[in-house]
Amino acid sequence: MSKAQAIEALVKAIGKENVITEHEELVCYSFDATADVPSQMPDVVVTPRGTDDVVQIMKVASQYKIPVYPRGAGTNLCGDTIPLKGGIVLRTQKMNKIIEIDADNLVAVVQPGVVINDLNTAVAPFGLIYPPDPGTVATATMGGSVSECSGGLRGLKYGVTKHYVMGLEVVMVDGTVARFGGKTVKNVTAYDMVKLFTGAEGTLGIITEITVKLIPAPEAKKSMLAVFSKLEDAGNTVTEIVRSKVIPATMEIMDQVTIRTVENFAKVGLPTDAEAVLLIEVDGIPEVVEREAATVVKVVEKNNGNIKVAKDDKERDGLWAARRAALPALAQMKPTTVLEDATVPRSRLTEMLVALQNIAKKYNLMIGTFGHAGDGNLHPTILTDERNTEEMKRVHQAVDEIFKTALELGGTISGEHGIGMAKAKYLPLEFGEQGVEIMRKVKRALDPDNLLNPGKMMG
Amino acid sequence: MSKAQAIEALVKAIGKENVITEHEELVCYSFDATADVPSQMPDVVVTPRGTDDVVQIMKVASQYKIPVYPRGAGTNLCGDTIPLKGGIVLRTQKMNKIIEIDADNLVAVVQPGVVINDLNTAVAPFGLIYPPDPGTVATATMGGSVSECSGGLRGLKYGVTKHYVMGLEVVMVDGTVARFGGKTVKNVTAYDMVKLFTGAEGTLGIITEITVKLIPAPEAKKSMLAVFSKLEDAGNTVTEIVRSKVIPATMEIMDQVTIRTVENFAKVGLPTDAEAVLLIEVDGIPEVVEREAATVVKVVEKNNGNIKVAKDDKERDGLWAARRAALPALAQMKPTTVLEDATVPRSRLTEMLVALQNIAKKYNLMIGTFGHAGDGNLHPTILTDERNTEEMKRVHQAVDEIFKTALELGGTISGEHGIGMAKAKYLPLEFGEQGVEIMRKVKRALDPDNLLNPGKMMG
């Protein structure tokens, strides 16, 4: 059975207008936002209009044994949407309806193609928010975000995507439709399949509907910038704030390389002689915000930091513009940006920051580090040029050492970017071969012919 | 290969003193806290002293193809610890060490035999709490609680067990030891096996170590009793409190049957002519507590309720004593108490309460309903006598109808008690046969000979 026959079957099943085969268009689906991974052309791109179309597509894929790669906006950072073995890219763009906003039960039901920001815009009039906020909220889709279990800036207080996914409709590889979970806060009816599919990176099934938890929007916020001349003081401040029973909504760090690059790029007034800055935001009802901000100020000053509290929304926006500039500022320095997300327990943050500085020196690389200090989730960002093969060799050695260090400190190789093509080879470092084999058993049980996003997390 | 040989192998592997074979002792493991399920004697009970012993036990069990039933305190309510097919009961009582309290990272690491309350006692000096609080906290173990994904009174605001399990060590059926997750808030390294084993009811592996999230203890609490002469008013109050953006720590309901029974049993001063009472507790920093309590009072009064705010700890304890008396009070009315946990989206609570009254009338049964109104998680409690076969037939018909109603209202057949023997037959009602089959594939992949807690959730 040929690929041409399969494409014909797809056209017959979901209509010519939902099947893309033109070379120029297929090129757009041969890569994603990830640096330093191979690209690969798909044979065909399909754009289902709903669950029924997905069922039809999976039936054709199963019949012809052709791989399927679900794709939202392609903003992931582990090469997860690249069609590595060729086959069918399944775009969710036409499945972009917000099906229901159920404010009384604090839930929303969406199709996978809904952009994260659009959901937040839709629930705002009800005084609610959907908290997960990866850097890509303005373009990333809910389906991609659930499949990758996106993190973001608010993990410490509000958790990440998996903490908000309550129910899923999934199309299995053979076209079977299953629904797990739902609108109830409590649900212990058999295995937690909702969490198994969340973060499965499209390797177990195609997510076609998502029920998420919403929470009341915080009434007030206060943002602060803390400047430290010593990196250790910044690290200790993070631990001590939490020890003071204050859980900020966000607690972000930028190291000196990042500070200087951001300042050079955006002229936002960051102190370029500081070894680190922390950007901290507390939120809640006004009384809580005042109290928690006062505690933060006290802890920062005790740890030799200078702190500035944003007086109004304009100052607040200014602070966050600096943080948002971190990645683009670093990215414009060199042609290639290798962005990692090694994560350690919060108390080991200082050790990890120091280790990253040493790794940069050892391999003679420029590494800017920023990230979610409150979660121990750092983004060491290696600035390089993939055409420089000698330097790329050192980059890969440095990345190996970053992951080993994170694991030695009791952390994990991926806090929020996922595994995909980029990190599959590191899995045994974290779980041992036997741990990975347990996961492969689950994968083989649900996708015996390895048709769902092959060549990624589970090989 | 005989069972006698297997027992000999167990004695050799973990020592005679950790293997129980006396008939009188085995009887104690032939049942658990669940009513209306068959009992069954095990062939042997083993008490491993640590992970290594569990590995040895699983190797013997695999070699001799003998079923293994992990058991904490046996307090579950779905027959999950009954050794239905005979074989080995694996008690976790000797694995009862709190391995680490890591206050800086807000986590604790425990062995499965640690009693939930003991963990809370141990973390209290750090100003921290482990929030999941099933009614059995004083006796239930962490291992059992994680395996059943216990709920409790604080689900609405604080979530349930699965929201607190961050890492697990698990011994697989063949004796392989695997570790998943850990101390980091963010972790998206491959499949979320932690959540798959949480709530798996011991059917996928034996949990030997648990890392849980802790949170700062709330500084203040305020408890309130709201009395309603109409059931609908109570239901509407629950929805409207949440709509007012107040998320109470607990929001419990008791219906008239329960109120009268409790009052008769414990003389706590409950109004026996009320159709329903709500017990509401808000917590947090004092300013928040004051504000939220004021909102609750306003909403209750708007919905025709009379509200009493506990003035001190003594009054608070009095209110909660009434709630805690609900199950024992109902249980002493008749020889057999069939306690269910059908759960609906919060906004459908009133409909469910009315449906339960109608079901009681239709089948001429005494049903007292209480439970976690804020979660839509009700405990309709059928008071009966299992020796009365005619009445038991009506009980089973009523239970069928309770589950069907919960599903029709968008709910689930189990909010917090789990599936086990008691509810396995209802799974297809919620997932369809094909949905259950997806779960069975996972089960077969990890336990191909069905040796882990057979005869329960997955057959």
Side-chain angles (χ1 to χ4, degrees):
Chain A
M1 291 182 283
S2 74
K3 281 185 176 169
Q5 281 177 303
I7 293 173
E8 208 175 298
L10 287 170
V11 168
K12 203 174 154 194
I14 66 166
K16 201 176 179 340
E17 66 283 12
N18 300 309
V19 178
I20 300 170
T21 51
E22 293 75 19
H23 184 268
E24 297 70 19
E25 288 209 52
L26 295 185
V27 172
C28 308
Y29 301 92
S30 65
F31 60 92
D32 62 20
T34 318
D36 196 28
V37 289
S39 63
Q40 171 65 45
M41 293 280 287
D43 293 294
V44 58
V45 175
V46 294
T47 316
R49 296 153 298 180
T51 302
D52 290 348
D53 279 359
V54 176
V55 170
Q56 296 307 316
I57 293 162
M58 292 316 302
K59 283 186 174 166
V60 172
S62 285
Q63 190 191 339
Y64 291 87
K65 301 261 185 282
I66 295 177
V68 178
Y69 311 85
R71 182 181 177 112
T75 54
N76 79 88
L77 293 166
C78 59
D80 242 340
T81 40
I82 296 167
L84 194 65
K85 314 266 179 188
I88 304 167
V89 166
L90 187 157
R91 293 168 74 220
T92 57
Q93 268 68 6
K94 288 186 186 169
M95 295 175 69
N96 63 350
K97 272 190 274 305
I98 295 176
I99 297 167
E100 186 186 5
I101 296 170
D102 179 349
D104 282 347
N105 289 307
L106 300 177
V107 299
V109 184
V110 301
Q111 287 188 311
V114 169
V115 170
I116 304 174
N117 250 4
D118 291 348
L119 172 60
N120 261 314
T121 305
V123 302
F126 299 91
L128 299 172
I129 59 169
Y130 170 69
D133 64 339
T136 49
V137 279
T139 45
T141 63
M142 289 296 294
S145 184
V146 170
S147 289
E148 300 292 322
C149 186
S150 305
L153 276 65
R154 293 193 280 214
L156 173 58
K157 181 167 179 177
Y158 293 110
V160 298
T161 301
K162 65 183 162 191
H163 301 111
Y164 292 88
V165 184
M166 297 177 72
L168 290 176
E169 180 186 79
V170 182
V171 178
M172 306 302 290
V173 72
D174 62 358
T176 302
V177 181
R179 296 181 71 91
F180 300 110
K183 286 186 180 181
T184 61
V185 176
K186 285 179 176 169
N187 184 325
V188 293
T189 302
Y191 299 141
D192 191 347
M193 302 301 281
V194 172
K195 294 299 190 296
L196 185 62
F197 284 101
T198 302
E201 304 186 2
T203 65
L204 298 179
I206 310 290
I207 295 171
T208 49
E209 191 188 290
I210 304 160
T211 301
V212 292
K213 178 178 156 181
L214 306 170
I215 62 168
E219 288 176 31
K221 295 175 183 184
K222 192 153 264 186
S223 294
M224 292 159 274
L225 175 73
V227 178
F228 298 89
S229 49
K230 281 192 185 154
L231 195 56
E232 286 80 356
D233 286 336
N236 293 339
T237 298
V238 170
T239 305
E240 202 172 323
I241 286 173
V242 176
R243 202 183 287 151
S244 309
K245 309 282 180 287
V246 171
I247 312 285
T250 49
M251 185 145 58
E252 298 287 306
I253 193 165
M254 291 194 271
D255 74 351
Q256 193 170 57
V257 171
T258 309
I259 295 168
R260 289 183 177 175
T261 311
V262 167
E263 187 52 28
N264 197 38
F265 175 74
K267 310 279 180 226
V268 285
L270 289 179
T272 52
D273 54 340
E275 276 198 8
V277 297
L278 291 176
L279 263 155
I280 302 163
E281 185 166 279
V282 292
D283 68 7
I285 72 167
E287 294 91 329
V288 174
V289 168
E290 285 305 322
R291 219 177 89 150
E292 294 194 340
T295 303
V296 168
V297 168
K298 214 164 74 184
V299 173
V300 168
E301 287 174 350
K302 187 184 149 201
N303 284 282
N304 314 310
N306 283 313
I307 189 155
K308 181 185 165 181
V309 182
K311 292 207 175 41
D312 50 34
D313 280 358
K314 202 183 148 206
E315 276 194 20
R316 178 180 175 272
D317 291 347
L319 294 183
W320 289 104
R323 166 61 182 85
R324 274 193 298 271
L327 184 56
L330 290 168
Q332 51 83 45
M333 294 283 286
K334 291 273 192 92
T336 305
T337 309
V338 177
L339 175 66
E340 293 304 345
D341 69 326
T343 301
V344 296
R346 191 184 314 110
S347 67
R348 313 301 293 270
L349 189 74
T350 309
E351 288 163 87
M352 189 68 193
L353 288 164
V354 171
L356 288 169
Q357 287 186 334
N358 292 336
I359 289 169
K361 265 182 228 148
K362 179 173 170 186
Y363 295 101
N364 189 26
L365 293 169
M366 191 170 177
I367 305 184
T369 299
F370 64 96
H372 320 304
D375 307 327
N377 177 199
L378 294 173
H379 294 311
T381 306
I382 307 177
L383 308 177
T384 181
D385 184 343
E386 58 190 337
R387 296 162 299 187
N388 181 341
T389 49
E390 184 277 324
E391 183 166 282
M392 285 310 286
K393 209 176 141 191
R394 282 182 282 123
V395 168
H396 296 148
Q397 287 170 330
V399 169
D400 285 358
E401 200 161 325
I402 288 171
F403 291 139
K404 273 180 200 147
T405 308
L407 290 174
E408 276 163 21
L409 294 173
T412 179
I413 60 172
S414 182
E416 60 181 14
H417 293 170
I419 301 304
M421 287 158 72
K423 271 176 273 184
K425 70 167 177 163
Y426 298 105
L427 283 181
L429 270 185
E430 183 153 343
F431 302 118
E433 280 296 346
Q434 59 199 25
V436 179
E437 180 54 25
I438 293 168
M439 295 184 183
R440 284 209 192 96
K441 284 180 182 170
V442 173
K443 163 71 174 174
R444 284 194 297 263
L446 299 184
D447 179 21
D449 295 319
N450 196 18
L451 299 181
L452 290 163
N453 206 9
K456 309 296 169 62
M457 188 150 89
M458 289 292 123
Chain B
M1 290 182 285
S2 74
K3 281 185 178 169
Q5 282 177 302
I7 293 172
E8 207 173 300
L10 288 169
V11 168
K12 204 175 151 193
I14 65 167
K16 202 175 176 344
E17 68 281 14
N18 300 308
V19 178
I20 300 170
T21 51
E22 293 74 19
H23 183 270
E24 297 70 17
E25 289 209 51
L26 295 184
V27 171
C28 307
Y29 300 91
S30 66
F31 60 91
D32 62 20
T34 318
D36 196 26
V37 288
S39 63
Q40 171 64 44
M41 293 279 286
D43 293 294
V44 57
V45 174
V46 293
T47 316
R49 296 153 298 180
T51 303
D52 290 347
D53 280 358
V54 176
V55 170
Q56 296 307 317
I57 293 162
M58 293 316 301
K59 282 184 177 167
V60 172
S62 285
Q63 190 192 338
Y64 290 87
K65 301 262 185 281
I66 296 177
V68 177
Y69 310 85
R71 180 180 178 114
T75 54
N76 79 89
L77 293 166
C78 60
D80 242 339
T81 39
I82 296 167
L84 194 65
K85 313 266 179 190
I88 304 167
V89 166
L90 188 157
R91 293 167 74 220
T92 58
Q93 268 68 7
K94 290 188 186 169
M95 295 175 69
N96 64 350
K97 272 189 276 305
I98 296 177
I99 297 169
E100 187 187 2
I101 297 170
D102 179 349
D104 282 347
N105 288 307
L106 300 176
V107 300
V109 184
V110 301
Q111 287 189 312
V114 169
V115 170
I116 305 173
N117 250 4
D118 292 347
L119 173 61
N120 261 316
T121 306
V123 303
F126 300 90
L128 299 172
I129 58 169
Y130 170 70
D133 65 338
T136 49
V137 279
T139 44
T141 62
M142 290 295 294
S145 184
V146 170
S147 289
E148 300 292 321
C149 187
S150 306
L153 275 67
R154 295 193 280 217
L156 173 58
K157 182 168 179 178
Y158 292 109
V160 298
T161 301
K162 65 183 163 191
H163 300 111
Y164 292 88
V165 185
M166 297 176 75
L168 289 176
E169 179 187 80
V170 182
V171 178
M172 306 301 292
V173 72
D174 62 358
T176 302
V177 181
R179 296 181 71 91
F180 301 110
K183 286 186 179 181
T184 62
V185 176
K186 287 178 174 169
N187 184 326
V188 293
T189 301
Y191 299 142
D192 192 346
M193 302 300 281
V194 172
K195 295 298 192 294
L196 185 61
F197 284 101
T198 302
E201 303 185 3
T203 64
L204 298 179
I206 310 290
I207 294 171
T208 48
E209 191 187 290
I210 305 160
T211 302
V212 292
K213 179 178 154 179
L214 307 170
I215 62 168
E219 289 175 31
K221 296 175 181 182
K222 192 153 260 183
S223 294
M224 293 159 275
L225 175 73
V227 178
F228 298 89
S229 49
K230 279 191 185 157
L231 195 57
E232 287 79 357
D233 286 334
N236 294 340
T237 298
V238 170
T239 304
E240 203 172 323
I241 286 173
V242 175
R243 202 183 287 151
S244 308
K245 308 282 181 284
V246 171
I247 313 285
T250 49
M251 185 145 59
E252 298 288 306
I253 194 164
M254 291 193 272
D255 74 352
Q256 193 170 58
V257 171
T258 309
I259 295 168
R260 289 184 177 174
T261 310
V262 167
E263 187 51 29
N264 198 39
F265 174 73
K267 310 281 180 225
V268 286
L270 289 179
T272 52
D273 54 340
E275 276 198 8
V277 297
L278 291 176
L279 261 155
I280 302 163
E281 184 166 279
V282 292
D283 68 7
I285 71 168
E287 295 91 328
V288 174
V289 168
E290 284 306 320
R291 219 176 90 152
E292 293 193 342
T295 304
V296 169
V297 168
K298 214 163 75 182
V299 173
V300 167
E301 286 173 351
K302 187 182 147 200
N303 284 283
N304 315 310
N306 282 314
I307 190 157
K308 179 187 165 182
V309 181
K311 289 203 177 44
D312 50 35
D313 280 358
K314 202 184 148 206
E315 277 194 22
R316 179 179 174 271
D317 291 347
L319 293 183
W320 290 105
R323 166 62 182 84
R324 275 193 298 270
L327 185 55
L330 289 168
Q332 50 82 44
M333 294 284 286
K334 290 275 192 91
T336 306
T337 309
V338 177
L339 175 67
E340 292 304 346
D341 68 325
T343 302
V344 296
R346 189 185 314 111
S347 67
R348 313 301 292 272
L349 189 73
T350 308
E351 288 163 87
M352 188 69 194
L353 288 164
V354 171
L356 288 168
Q357 288 186 334
N358 293 335
I359 289 169
K361 263 181 230 149
K362 180 172 169 187
Y363 295 101
N364 189 26
L365 293 168
M366 190 171 179
I367 305 185
T369 297
F370 63 98
H372 320 303
D375 308 327
N377 177 200
L378 294 173
H379 293 310
T381 305
I382 308 177
L383 309 177
T384 181
D385 185 342
E386 57 189 340
R387 295 162 299 188
N388 181 341
T389 50
E390 185 277 324
E391 184 165 282
M392 286 311 286
K393 208 176 140 190
R394 282 183 281 121
V395 168
H396 296 148
Q397 287 170 330
V399 169
D400 285 358
E401 199 159 327
I402 288 171
F403 291 139
K404 274 181 199 144
T405 308
L407 290 172
E408 277 163 21
L409 293 173
T412 181
I413 59 171
S414 181
E416 58 181 14
H417 291 171
I419 301 305
M421 286 157 72
K423 272 176 268 183
K425 70 167 179 165
Y426 297 105
L427 283 181
L429 270 185
E430 182 153 344
F431 302 117
E433 280 294 348
Q434 60 199 25
V436 179
E437 180 53 24
I438 293 167
M439 294 184 183
R440 284 208 192 97
K441 283 179 182 173
V442 173
K443 163 72 173 173
R444 284 194 295 263
L446 299 184
D447 179 22
D449 295 320
N450 197 18
L451 298 181
L452 291 164
N453 207 7
K456 310 297 169 64
M457 188 151 89
M458 289 292 125

